[in-house]
Amino acid sequence: MAVTTHPKLDAHRLRADFPVFEQPIHGKPLAFLDSAVTSQKPRQVLDAMREFYATSYSNVHRGVYTLSERATEGYEGAREKVRAFLNAASTREVIFVRQATEGLNLVAYAWGLDNLGPGDVAIVTELEHHSNFVPWQQIARRTGADFRMLPIDDRGELRMELLDDVAGDANVKVVAANLVSNSLGTINPIERLAAWAHERGAIMVVDAAQAAPHKRIDVQTLGADFVAFSSHKMCGPTGAGVLWGRRELLEEMSPFNYGGSMIRSVRVEDTQWNELPYKFEAGTPAIAEAYGLGIAIDYLEAVGLEAIEQHEHELAEYALERLAELPFVTVYGPPPERRVGLVSFNVDGVHPHDVAQVLDWEGVAIRAGHHCCQPLMTRLGVAATNRASFYLYTVPEEIDRLVEGLRKVKEVLG
Ligand SMILES: Cc1ncc(COP(=O)(O)O)c(C=O)c1O
């Protein structure tokens, strides 16, 4: 039997691809432990985008001249790379958006406004980022639908056993959840959630902003109806993101934005929409950025998504082990095998912003705040946390520097 093995990732070697690590911060080497907010970019992406702008740039789908054809090839080539990355059935299901937030709003507006109404229910989870929480809350309000939240347990895992109670005998129309939590790193059981949603006749909307950079997603087995993510968190540029949707649903939906490119014909009496995916891509898209996302996907595939996931599990395990040495640190979230490379914590008696500030002097960049998850912060009983998040270029020595930095924080401020 053929066995596929994935070579272990060499983060020390990969770091050489990222020019950002060449500069000192406050005279110290940079330990960038904030990849969940946005990732750093490898030379391969930076160089390819520069080359694209220098040699192949014009608007897409419009010109019959060489540059426009090259630009269209670059843009549509990236769409095919995204299709393969997600194992989607067709590029018609791959819509370029600005980022996960726009993809999720697209579904909430374009599907929600036409499909939700009084007596219907939209369910989100207590782990949601505001971008998959607020759109459903607001569209539910506008349509008269009910908006409900599935709670988590003390480990930061969804309380799946409460789904039937949360739904009651109401008409559940949509379940929206992230595949990976940006605050706790929890990997959520989307397949089970989607199966439950479908049994109820609801659609499943997945925020994959923290999943796509870190683990393989196969939309044909995930069970979701929509999946959204951002390029900038997965080594690609800002300004590009993806919404994948099931073709039957996308075909039925009204457009989200109106304007150029999304029409087939316009008359004063009426307008006909363009075919998928262009129906949802009004205006000039982020051409070079979509192209750059395609190069980032090449990069991640060359490293191996499985190797990245394994590397992050190891880092999460190491970070949890090392943080456990600090009696003044409270760590949130599930055990390492249930999370990606991300750890949220607080230092007793020290505000997270002060912690992050002192660490910055040490060249260690971490996040402090509510991470766009205020309902989750309420559940944890805190206003904010610190968060250290890892990626393919993170090395264990950076976690050691985090731990040493936290000892210093306690010494100075605690
Ligand atoms: C889980 C999750 N969803 C959505 C988003 C929003 O991403 P963007 O700002 O790229 O749209 C983020 C960003 O931090 C996130 O972590």
Side-chain angles (χ1 to χ4, degrees), residues 128 130 370-379 382-383:
E128 285 329 287
H130 296 160
H370 55 61
H371 317 297
C372 299
C373 290
Q374 287 184 352
L376 175 62
M377 295 298 120
T378 305
R379 168 66 169 81
V382 297

Side-chain angles (χ1 to χ4, degrees), residues 381-393:
V382 297
T385 71
N386 286 116
R387 182 186 71 186
S389 54
F390 318 133
Y391 206 11
L392 45 82
Y393 41 69

Side-chain angles (χ1 to χ4, degrees), residues 52 54-58 60 65-76 291:
F52 182 79
T55 64
S56 307
Y57 181 71
S58 179
V60 289
Y65 55 88
T66 305
L67 273 189
S68 179
E69 280 168 6
R70 279 188 203 157
T72 303
E73 258 170 47
Y75 183 70
E76 291 302 329
Y291 174 75

Side-chain angles (χ1 to χ4, degrees), residues 36-37 99-102 104 129 131 178 180-182 207 209-210 230 232-233:
V37 80
Q99 52 337 50
T101 299
E102 188 177 57
L104 296 165
H129 187 281
S131 62
N178 57 42
V180 170
S181 154
N182 64 305
D207 169 4
Q210 293 297 343
S230 299
H232 70 91
K233 293 183 195 284

